[in-house]
């Protein structure tokens, strides 16, 4: 507006000067008499024309902003306002685009969370329904006395018991996962001899492995290794890794367990040979409820919830550690690395996953 006033004033004064000079030179008294009546209208016309010319781009950009906001409010979050300026309008356009992008990311994240919850519900329903259906079936056989002899009766009871234990394990996995996913998840940190803990776990695991034709090869050293951990949770993580190796190992075969220490970390390695994974399977291996094709499972080993590796990784992260997989052809090497220092944020997970 100020620029329009200056231009209109300059043009107006120039016209006045030219008219007065021409009138005096040519003795056009009539022109000098009527010209003052046109000075103000002429000034207004020049001002308006100048103002419209200078604000044309601004008005155009304002219309673009208005149309862009209209498109965005109608639900097209892929639209971006095409206003490129270095002034206030440019900053408004930039903020509108940034707001739209963040809103789009938030919606995508909420959809992923919702999808994850639906997958969780579907997985839970499927995993719990199978053993529960078997339990109901066996109880119905026992209730109607549909057994031939005492031996068949005992077999029905034993199968019912096994299915109930399996159902309890599924529920325990689910409960453990929801606890680890909670922002209030806490660790009971104590100084624990991890050598002794791992040796005890392998002592209990070896008979199960031998029944499946698996030989255990240990390389744990022979000295105590004291580290501040939650022994129950670390035992759960290691047990999940051992059961995963047992379930997917080639039979007969071998599972190797090694423990290494350096100045800052303690590393437990669990290695086995199995059917190679595809890149997509390897990428999703630590996802909640993800299970590799059941054809790779061992006979006699109940199918799990697909939470074992996810739980193990969550436990490692709670201890400020990491759990990784190195997969080369048919060799699977899981590394659980834990720091020797007191875990920071022992009351909370480093990142939260959607829980039930």
């Amino acid at each position: 507006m100020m620029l329009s006033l200056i231009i209109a004033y300059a043009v107006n004064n120039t016209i006045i000067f030219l008219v007065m000079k021409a009138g005096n030179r040519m003795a056009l008294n009539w022109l000098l008499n009527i010209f003052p009546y046109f000075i103000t209208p002429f000034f207004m016309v020049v001002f308006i024309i100048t103002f419209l010319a200078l604000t044309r781009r601004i008005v155009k950009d304002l219309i673009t902003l208005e149309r862009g906001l209209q498109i965005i409010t109608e639900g097209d979050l892929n639209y971006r306002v095409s206003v490129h300026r270095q002034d206030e309008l440019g900053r408004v356009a930039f903020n509108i685009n940034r707001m739209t992008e963040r809103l789009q990311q938030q919606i995508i994240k909420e959809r992923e969370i919702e999808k994850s919850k639906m997958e969780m519900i579907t997985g839970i329903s499927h995993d719990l329904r199978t053993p529960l259906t078997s339990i109901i079936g066996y109880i119905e056989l026992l209730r109607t006395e549909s057994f031939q002899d005492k031996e068949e009766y005992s077999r029905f009871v034993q199968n019912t018991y096994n299915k109930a234990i399996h159902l309890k394990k599924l529920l325990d996995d689910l409960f453990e996962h929801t606890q680890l996913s909670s922002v209030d998840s806490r660790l009971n940190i104590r100084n624990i001899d991890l050598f002794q803990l791992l040796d005890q776990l392998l002592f209990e695991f070896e008979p199960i492995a031998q029944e499946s034709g698996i030989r255990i090869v240990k390389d744990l050293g022979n000295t105590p290794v004291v580290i501040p951990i939650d022994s129950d949770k670390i035992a759960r993580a290691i047990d999940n890794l051992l059961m995963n190796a047992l379930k997917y190992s080639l039979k007969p075969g071998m599972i190797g367990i090694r423990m290494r220490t350096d100045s800052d970390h303690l590393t437990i390695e669990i290695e086995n040979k199995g059917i190679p994974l595809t890149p997509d399977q390897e990428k999703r291996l630590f996802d909640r409820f993800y299970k590799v094709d059941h054809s790779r499972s061992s006979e006699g080993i109940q199918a799990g919830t697909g939470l074992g590796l996810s739980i193990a990784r969550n436990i490692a992260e709670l201890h400020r550690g990491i759990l990784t997989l190195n997969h080369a052809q048919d060799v699977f090497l899981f590394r659980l690395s834990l720091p020797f220092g007191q875990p920071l944020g022992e009351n909370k997970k480093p990142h939260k996953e959607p829980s039930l």
Side-chain angles (χ1 to χ4, degrees):
M1 182 177 292
M2 290 299 300
L3 185 59
S4 299
L5 285 172
I6 294 172
I7 293 174
Y9 180 78
V11 171
N12 192 67
N13 285 346
T14 302
I15 295 298
I16 292 173
F17 174 76
L18 294 175
V19 170
M20 294 297 293
K21 187 175 182 180
N24 291 327
R25 178 176 297 181
M26 299 180 182
L28 300 175
N29 295 327
W30 63 270
L31 179 62
L32 297 177
N33 291 330
I34 66 172
F35 181 70
Y37 296 102
F38 292 94
I39 292 177
T40 301
F42 181 78
F43 175 82
M44 296 299 298
V45 171
V46 173
F47 171 78
I48 292 173
I49 293 174
T50 306
F51 181 79
L52 291 177
L54 293 176
T55 59
R56 180 180 179 183
R57 185 185 173 190
I58 295 176
V59 172
K60 182 180 178 181
D61 288 341
L62 283 172
I63 294 174
T64 302
L65 283 175
E66 188 275 333
R67 289 176 178 172
L69 284 172
Q70 181 66 28
I71 293 172
I72 292 170
T73 55
E74 290 175 356
D76 186 2
L77 297 181
N78 291 316
Y79 183 83
R80 296 295 181 268
V81 178
S82 57
V83 175
H84 305 287
R85 302 171 61 97
Q86 301 301 320
D87 56 6
E88 289 78 3
L89 282 181
R91 289 193 290 272
V92 170
F94 173 78
N95 288 329
I96 289 175
N97 290 336
R98 185 170 64 173
M99 177 193 69
T100 305
E101 184 176 354
R102 289 183 176 178
L103 181 60
Q104 187 179 34
Q105 292 174 353
Q106 183 65 28
I107 291 175
I108 292 174
K109 184 178 180 181
E110 289 177 358
R111 288 175 180 172
E112 289 176 351
I113 292 174
E114 188 65 26
K115 181 181 177 181
S116 176
K117 289 181 179 180
M118 293 303 298
E119 290 177 351
M120 180 182 293
I121 293 172
T122 302
I124 292 171
S125 301
H126 178 271
D127 291 328
L128 297 184
R129 181 176 60 184
T130 302
L132 187 59
T133 302
S134 298
I135 291 172
I136 293 173
Y138 281 121
I139 290 177
E140 180 65 20
L141 292 175
L142 294 172
R143 187 181 68 83
T144 58
E145 298 183 355
S146 301
F147 50 86
Q148 298 178 358
D149 49 32
K150 181 67 174 177
E151 182 179 350
E152 190 171 48
Y153 171 84
S154 299
R155 181 165 60 86
F156 286 172
V157 171
Q158 184 61 43
N159 288 342
T160 304
Y161 176 77
N162 291 339
K163 294 295 181 181
I165 292 298
H166 178 51
L167 182 60
K168 181 180 182 300
K169 185 180 184 305
L170 296 178
L171 292 172
D172 287 344
D173 283 347
L174 183 61
F175 181 70
E176 181 77 17
H177 172 72
T178 55
Q179 275 194 322
L180 293 173
S181 298
S182 171
V183 294
D184 296 324
S185 180
R186 296 180 180 273
L187 296 177
N188 181 20
I189 299 295
R190 292 180 298 165
N191 287 325
I192 300 296
D193 182 359
L194 197 55
F195 169 82
Q196 183 178 359
L197 176 64
L198 189 55
D199 190 58
Q200 178 64 31
L201 289 173
L202 292 176
F203 177 78
E204 298 171 359
F205 178 72
E206 278 191 275
I208 303 174
Q210 291 175 359
E211 291 179 2
S212 300
I214 296 296
R215 181 167 59 92
I216 302 298
V217 178
K218 299 183 291 185
D219 182 12
L220 308 180
N222 53 14
T223 58
V225 180
V226 179
I227 184 171
I229 57 172
D230 185 321
S231 58
D232 291 336
K233 284 185 169 55
I234 290 297
R236 179 64 180 273
I238 295 173
D239 182 68
N240 287 354
L241 292 173
L242 291 173
M243 291 304 298
N244 180 78
L246 176 62
K247 185 181 299 184
Y248 295 113
S249 287
L250 297 175
K251 314 298 191 301
M254 177 192 71
I255 296 177
I257 297 95
R258 297 182 291 273
M259 184 166 66
R260 301 282 185 264
T261 60
D262 56 32
S263 58
D264 299 321
H265 291 82
L266 176 146
T267 302
I268 298 172
E269 298 180 347
I270 298 177
E271 182 179 3
N272 69 287
K273 289 187 175 182
I275 299 176
L277 299 178
T278 65
D280 180 66
Q281 288 175 326
E282 183 178 356
K283 181 180 178 181
R284 299 183 58 195
L285 200 60
F286 289 97
D287 290 353
R288 294 170 296 116
F289 296 105
Y290 178 73
K291 290 180 280 189
V292 181
D293 195 322
H294 290 156
S295 62
R296 297 181 63 235
S297 300
S298 301
E299 295 183 1
I301 300 178
Q302 299 278 15
T305 58
L307 287 172
L309 293 179
S310 176
I311 289 174
R313 172 168 278 185
N314 287 345
I315 291 173
E317 290 176 350
L318 273 172
H319 288 79
R320 287 189 60 205
I322 56 173
L323 174 61
T324 60
L325 167 65
N326 287 342
H327 171 228
Q329 296 182 349
D330 61 345
V331 178
F332 297 80
L333 177 61
F334 287 91
R335 285 194 178 95
L336 173 61
S337 181
L338 301 172
F340 277 114
Q342 181 77 8
L344 293 176
E346 64 185 49
N347 294 334
K348 297 180 184 268
K349 260 189 88 205
H351 61 80
K352 181 183 176 183
E353 294 181 356
S355 58
L356 289 180

